[in-house]
Amino acid sequence: MTLKIVKPGLATSIQDLGRPGYFHLGIPMGGAMDRLALRAANLLVGNDEGAACLEAAFLGPEVEFTAPATIAITGATMPVKIDGAEHPGWTAIAVKAGQVLSFGYLKAGARIYIAVSGGIATPPALGSRSTYPIGALGGVEGRAVQAGDELPVGAADGAQAGRSIAPDLRRAVSRPAELRVLPGLYVHRITDEARARFFGEEWKVAPEADRMGVRFRGGSQMDFVPRTPPFGAGSDPSNIVDGCYSYGSIQVPSGTEPIVLHRDAVSGGGYFTIGAVISADMDLIGQLQPHTPVHFVPVTMATALAARAERRAVLNRIREALG
Amino acid sequence: MTEIPSPLPGTFYQKPAPDQPPFKATGDAVAADDTIGLVEVMKTFIEVKAEVTGSFAGYIAEDAAPVQAGDPLAKVK
């Protein structure tokens, strides 16, 4: 069985839960930007939670199935069509050999996940099938899918069609969206007033946001606390002596536009980081459309951990409902 | 009158480059394969095809305007 890519959409790539363990060598974790949506899609079709799926941003691909399968589409709200007939998202759907999956216009969110029973079976690289184009790792020859690609799919009976995930277990993007932030290592580099403005003002997602990072515009230029640059930091006040970046960390080059580092981000560099978006809100970033208004909300470590537990509880409810 | 929708969210441009005229002017003939504008997202400029034929009746979305998927960009008679 293969998935034939008729139309690729925009930067549609094979993703699983990524390849943690190589960040210290500069190889990012990669994997789905909305991890809960990928897990949910896999559970719906009877796969292991971390099986490889297609991740498509903003524009759905067109895909033909060469054999019967069970599929599920989760994540963003985008009309799902099989041979032109509309089907619900977040639901297991039976497809026949020769049928074609396509999509209508994106209605909400940003990224869809397409799971197929058996999982996409391209060769893993460093323990993951996730596509990391800059490093030419994973996916199809390390790149996004193209028209004409035939993606191998593992053998599976496929779960029963019709099962779905209750709407209250799907996370909607509020407007403005709220991203909770744990202030971090270098927040002392900006003035108290600049910090108050960062958390008080409305920012907007810039259109160049991608899998490496999501940039924001619309807030004020940040004022830095004067200093004598330490050896090796360079003269820009936003520079530091090179340090590690975490998943979710927010760097602000020259104090102008914050960038939240996401799954395919670099592992270190010389910009100060104001803090990190908490892990519970990273999936949400994967669902932000360009120009979405966003507020950054400072939280404590206790709140961040409680939010992580809350997200885990949602995942457990999905597991139980489909178990 | 047919409206040409944006296939995806991003920033809409009526022109191929800032110093060039818009892709179409009112009254121009439109073929299905003609580009009527660009949508910028993820560091990529995606050409928006008319996908209808007729006579160009004007832009609806302003140049450099934020658009959502399905928003009308231009009109064709």
Side-chain angles (χ1 to χ4, degrees), chain A residues 10 58-59 105-106 207 209-210 291, chain B residues 5 7 9-11 41-43 66 69:
Chain A
L10 176 71
F58 307 124
L59 196 62
Y105 294 129
L106 178 66
D210 61 16
H291 310 295
Chain B
T11 305
V41 73
M42 294 199 298
K43 301 170 190 160

Side-chain angles (χ1 to χ4, degrees), chain A residues 10-11 57-59 105-106 111 175 207-212 289-291, chain B residues 5-11 40-44 46 66-70:
Chain A
L10 176 71
F58 307 124
L59 196 62
Y105 294 129
L106 178 66
R111 286 177 175 79
R175 211 175 159 89
E208 52 266 53
D210 61 16
R211 290 185 43 83
M212 280 173 277
Q289 287 186 14
H291 310 295
Chain B
S6 180
L8 75 180
T11 305
E40 182 198 5
V41 73
M42 294 199 298
K43 301 170 190 160
T44 309
I46 292 100
V67 293
Q68 293 188 306

Side-chain angles (χ1 to χ4, degrees), chain A residues 10 58-59 207 290-291, chain B residues 4-16 23 35-49 61-73:
Chain A
L10 176 71
F58 307 124
L59 196 62
H291 310 295
Chain B
I4 301 171
S6 180
L8 75 180
T11 305
F12 176 66
Y13 295 99
Q14 299 176 355
K15 306 168 186 177
F23 283 97
T35 300
I36 62 103
L38 302 171
V39 173
E40 182 198 5
V41 73
M42 294 199 298
K43 301 170 190 160
T44 309
F45 289 88
I46 292 100
E47 292 184 341
V48 181
K49 302 291 182 189
E62 282 177 36
D63 191 45
V67 293
Q68 293 188 306
D71 279 358
L73 301 177

